[in-house]
Amino acid sequence: MTTIPLKKPITIGDQQITSVEIDEPCVGAIEAFENAKAAKESDMTAMVKMLAAEFDWPVAAVRKMRTSDLVKISDALAPFVGADGHTGE
């Protein structure tokens, strides 16, 4: 598991999130990613939907994340989500 501190906290309700823990994604997160790709949505949209499912956040909260944080998270998830839009280890 990898903990990634966020450059700017994200507020969801009355909770302020300052870091995220990245591990192997849950099945629901992979499903969200694959469904977005099957619908011909962009890589970015697929990743946003995957992270929303993984973190159990609203999509709008994921969209507030800084780009550099997304890059770190994407790097941590790379072994599980291939560049071709398929999942695997």
Side-chain angles (χ1 to χ4, degrees):
M1 185 172 304
T2 303
T3 300
I4 298 175
L6 300 176
K7 281 192 165 187
K8 182 178 177 186
I10 294 175
T11 302
I12 300 174
D14 50 352
Q15 181 181 18
Q16 251 202 346
I17 298 158
T18 59
S19 66
V20 294
E21 291 186 3
I22 302 297
D23 197 358
E24 179 178 356
C26 68
V27 172
I30 296 296
E31 180 180 43
F33 180 87
E34 290 183 347
N35 285 343
K37 294 303 292 177
K40 306 280 190 227
E41 296 187 79
S42 71
D43 290 341
M44 178 65 74
T45 298
M47 181 60 73
V48 166
K49 289 182 175 184
M50 178 180 173
L51 293 178
E54 180 66 20
F55 299 148
D56 196 23
W57 292 1
V59 168
V62 176
R63 288 186 174 132
K64 292 179 181 179
M65 189 178 296
R66 295 297 182 232
T67 305
S68 58
D69 293 334
L70 180 62
V71 168
K72 290 176 191 173
I73 292 167
S74 296
D75 288 346
L77 291 172
F80 305 106
V81 181
D84 60 358
H86 292 92
T87 57
E89 294 183 42

